[in-house]
Amino acid sequence: MNHTFIMILNHMLSYLNLHLMSRFGVAMGASTGAIYYVYTGKFQSKSRKITLFIISFMFGVISAEFAANFLSAITPSSVVAETSFGAMISAALCMKILKAIGNNINDFVSLFKKS
């Protein structure tokens, strides 16, 4: 993906969200986090990049409010995280967290098993 494609994608999302959705900031934050994840990863195929972008974007939109509340809870009371920032953080980190759990699935499952 080149920079022109990303600029066009962000402009399209901005236009659609401004006119069709009320959660404009959440969509922009999620797209920013998904773009960050795709560009920092070492993925070879374009289809894999597009698929991971879509999954990361959707996860960012869905978990934006949870991430914002979590960030607000761990910071001082004078700092309030916006949902758009929560969407960006959750979109950027969701695939990394899922990949870490998947790589260590036996350790993760053993946390929930009774001894």
Side-chain angles (χ1 to χ4, degrees):
M1 290 197 281
N2 58 20
H3 296 293
T4 307
F5 173 75
I6 291 174
M7 287 176 41
I8 291 170
L9 180 68
N10 269 333
H11 286 300
M12 286 173 39
L13 286 172
S14 299
Y15 179 79
L16 290 174
N17 287 315
L18 185 61
H19 294 290
L20 300 176
M21 296 175 68
S22 61
R23 297 178 63 180
F24 168 71
V26 171
M28 287 305 297
S31 66
T32 303
I35 289 169
Y36 174 78
Y37 173 71
V38 169
Y39 267 107
T40 58
K42 294 178 174 78
F43 310 114
Q44 302 298 327
S45 68
K46 289 187 179 188
S47 61
R48 184 173 172 102
K49 287 180 181 180
I50 292 170
T51 303
L52 290 174
F53 172 83
I54 292 169
I55 292 169
S56 183
F57 175 79
M58 290 188 324
F59 193 91
V61 169
I62 292 168
S63 63
E65 192 170 336
F66 171 76
N69 289 338
F70 178 76
L71 291 170
S72 294
I74 63 172
T75 56
S77 61
S78 61
V79 178
V80 177
E82 296 290 330
T83 54
S84 57
F85 184 69
M88 182 182 70
I89 296 298
S90 62
L93 294 179
C94 73
M95 298 305 290
K96 291 185 185 256
I97 293 169
L98 291 174
K99 193 174 182 182
I101 290 172
N103 289 342
N104 302 318
I105 193 69
N106 292 333
D107 296 336
F108 183 72
V109 171
S110 67
L111 292 173
F112 298 103
K113 285 186 176 179
K114 292 183 180 178
S115 299

